[in-house]
């Protein structure tokens, strides 16, 4: 478990916690600095739970026990005392602003990798390889990500289509059924059109998956499978810069895993794609 993402890991696992574990999680998220100075008994008393419940919570979050959890939390809080990436300001030079954006993106990608639940990744790979139809939903800044995922899956021979129009999305979702897979992409996890498309696909019997930045969002809760990117807190003047990169990388990683598992069949399809693209380039050059 990465020492920099302790609190993010709690948020990422929140949907899978028991009622008691959520009680502990809520206290830690609200009182993280106080928790660093507590022992197991102290945290159990503060949360109205038992010491055994605290230990189970730590293990559910990905740690070997309370000592490792507390050390990770302390290291994260220590780093926050001196922010690695200062906030953007109107007085930044072009170089300073660009450096902050790049540094924030690198941190977000690293933390997203540390947070990924690979049991969910593997389950989603299985669903993709057996899906009769794959529909990918995304609007706004998630729209080009959905289109890119469609291309990635299509070139490997998977029956993928992306839907970015809020009128077409419910039509496509309503025509899905058992054996199909719906993937919804939303940074906030609260985009109504995307959420409704996912819910409708699920009602029709399709397996549903969410790519979002908030594990407690309505989209994550509505999906059968959910993969969460690190929710970067940089004060961007435009929406979700680093989050978009994380969502792209999650889907790119899934496509690469599919290609590796596809063996010679996938390799043949990629060669075919390359031949087609090379032919197009030659026509453009002539």
């Amino acid at each position: 478990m990465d020492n920099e993402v302790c609190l993010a890991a709690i948020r990422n696992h929140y949907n899978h916690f028991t009622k008691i574990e959520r009680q502990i999680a809520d206290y830690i998220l609200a009182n993280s600095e106080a928790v660093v100075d507590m022992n197991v008994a102290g945290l159990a008393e503060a949360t109205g739970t038992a010491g055994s419940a605290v230990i189970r919570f730590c293990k559910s979050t990905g740690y070997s026990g309370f000592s490792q959890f507390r050390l990770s939390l302390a290291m994260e809080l220590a780093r926050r005392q001196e922010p690695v990436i200062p906030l953007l300001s109107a007085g930044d030079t072009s170089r300073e602003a660009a450096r902050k954006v790049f540094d924030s993106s690198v941190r977000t990608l690293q933390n997203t990798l540390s947070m990924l639940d690979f049991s969910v990744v593997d389950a989603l790979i299985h669903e993709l390889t057996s899906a009769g139809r794959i529909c990918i939903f995304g609007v706004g800044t998630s729209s080009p990500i959905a289109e890119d995922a469609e291309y990635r899956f299509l070139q490997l021979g998977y029956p993928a289509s992306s839907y970015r129009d809020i009128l077409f999305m419910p039509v496509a979702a309503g025509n899905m059924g058992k054996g199909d897979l719906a993937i919804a992409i939303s940074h906030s996890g609260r985009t109504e059109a995307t959420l409704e498309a996912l819910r409708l696909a699920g009602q029709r019997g399709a397996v549903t998956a969410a790519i979002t930045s908030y594990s407690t969002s309505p989209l994550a809760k509505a999906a059968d499978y959910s993969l969460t990117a690190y929710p970067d807190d940089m004060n961007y003047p435009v929406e979700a810069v680093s989050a978009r990169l994380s969502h792209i990388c999650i889907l790119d990683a899934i496509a690469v895993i599919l290609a590796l598992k596809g063996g010679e069949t996938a390799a043949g399809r990629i060669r075919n794609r390359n031949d087609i693209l090379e032919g197009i380039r030659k026509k453009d050059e002539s």
Side-chain angles (χ1 to χ4, degrees), residues 21 23 25 38 80 83 91 96 104 124 157 169-170 184 192 195 202 207 219 230 240 249 252 282:
E21 288 171 339
Q23 190 172 321
M38 293 181 176
R80 288 188 174 186
E96 289 170 341
S104 176
L124 189 52
M169 288 166 65
E192 193 62 30
L195 178 59
V207 174
L219 189 70
Y230 180 77
C249 280
D252 277 354
K282 287 181 178 178

Side-chain angles (χ1 to χ4, degrees), residues 93-196:
T93 65
S94 297
R95 181 182 294 275
E96 289 170 341
R99 178 60 181 269
K100 290 176 183 179
V101 170
F102 274 74
D103 286 348
S104 176
S105 296
V106 169
R107 181 187 66 178
T108 299
L109 290 173
Q110 291 173 335
N111 289 347
T112 295
L113 178 61
S114 298
M115 288 169 53
L116 279 182
D117 185 340
F118 283 93
S119 65
V120 175
V121 172
D122 290 338
L124 189 52
I125 293 294
H126 173 74
E127 297 294 347
L128 281 161
T129 56
S130 59
R133 181 184 177 200
I134 302 166
C135 291
I136 309 164
F137 302 105
V139 299
T141 56
S142 296
S143 174
I145 302 174
E147 186 174 19
D148 184 69
E150 173 191 14
Y151 172 71
R152 301 291 186 196
F153 296 149
L154 276 176
Q155 69 180 354
L156 294 172
Y158 294 98
S161 301
S162 63
Y163 298 90
R164 290 97 62 196
D165 185 289
I166 61 173
L167 297 179
F168 289 170
M169 288 166 65
V171 174
N175 284 322
M176 299 187 75
K178 188 175 181 180
D180 294 336
L181 172 64
I183 301 175
I185 307 167
S186 170
H187 166 60
S188 68
R190 297 180 180 277
T191 304
E192 193 62 30
T194 307
L195 178 59
E196 287 306 311

Side-chain angles (χ1 to χ4, degrees), residues 24-270:
I24 297 170
D26 290 340
Y27 182 86
I28 294 172
L29 291 173
N31 304 277
S32 55
E33 293 186 4
V35 172
V36 171
D37 296 320
M38 293 181 176
N39 56 22
V40 172
L43 182 56
E45 181 179 358
T47 57
T49 61
S52 57
V54 171
I55 299 300
R56 284 195 300 272
F57 166 82
C58 294
K59 292 183 177 180
S60 294
T61 312
Y63 295 92
S64 60
F66 183 73
S67 295
Q68 186 190 32
F69 171 82
R70 187 173 63 176
L71 176 62
S72 177
L73 178 60
M75 293 180 70
E76 178 177 355
L77 295 178
R79 289 177 64 87
R80 288 188 174 186
Q81 298 302 315
E82 298 180 9
V84 177
I85 305 169
L87 296 178
L88 291 163
S89 69
D92 285 344
T93 65
S94 297
R95 181 182 294 275
E96 289 170 341
R99 178 60 181 269
K100 290 176 183 179
V101 170
F102 274 74
D103 286 348
S104 176
S105 296
V106 169
R107 181 187 66 178
T108 299
L109 290 173
Q110 291 173 335
N111 289 347
T112 295
L113 178 61
S114 298
M115 288 169 53
L116 279 182
D117 185 340
F118 283 93
S119 65
V120 175
V121 172
D122 290 338
L124 189 52
I125 293 294
H126 173 74
E127 297 294 347
L128 281 161
T129 56
S130 59
R133 181 184 177 200
I134 302 166
C135 291
I136 309 164
F137 302 105
V139 299
T141 56
S142 296
S143 174
I145 302 174
E147 186 174 19
D148 184 69
E150 173 191 14
Y151 172 71
R152 301 291 186 196
F153 296 149
L154 276 176
Q155 69 180 354
L156 294 172
Y158 294 98
S161 301
S162 63
Y163 298 90
R164 290 97 62 196
D165 185 289
I166 61 173
L167 297 179
F168 289 170
M169 288 166 65
V171 174
N175 284 322
M176 299 187 75
K178 188 175 181 180
D180 294 336
L181 172 64
I183 301 175
I185 307 167
S186 170
H187 166 60
S188 68
R190 297 180 180 277
T191 304
E192 193 62 30
T194 307
L195 178 59
E196 287 306 311
L198 185 83
R199 285 174 172 165
L200 182 55
Q203 291 168 5
R204 294 294 189 268
V207 174
T208 58
I211 308 292
T212 181
S213 299
Y214 297 93
S215 61
T216 58
S217 66
L219 189 70
K221 292 179 179 179
D224 296 315
Y225 301 102
S226 178
L227 291 173
T228 307
Y230 180 77
D232 182 33
D233 54 4
M234 174 67 83
N235 61 329
Y236 289 115
V238 291
E239 183 186 1
V241 173
S242 295
R244 287 190 301 111
L245 295 177
S246 294
H247 295 174
I248 290 170
C249 280
I250 288 173
L251 289 162
D252 277 354
I254 289 172
V256 168
I257 295 168
L258 283 171
L260 292 174
K261 289 183 177 295
E264 184 55 36
T265 299
R269 286 170 175 160
I270 292 173

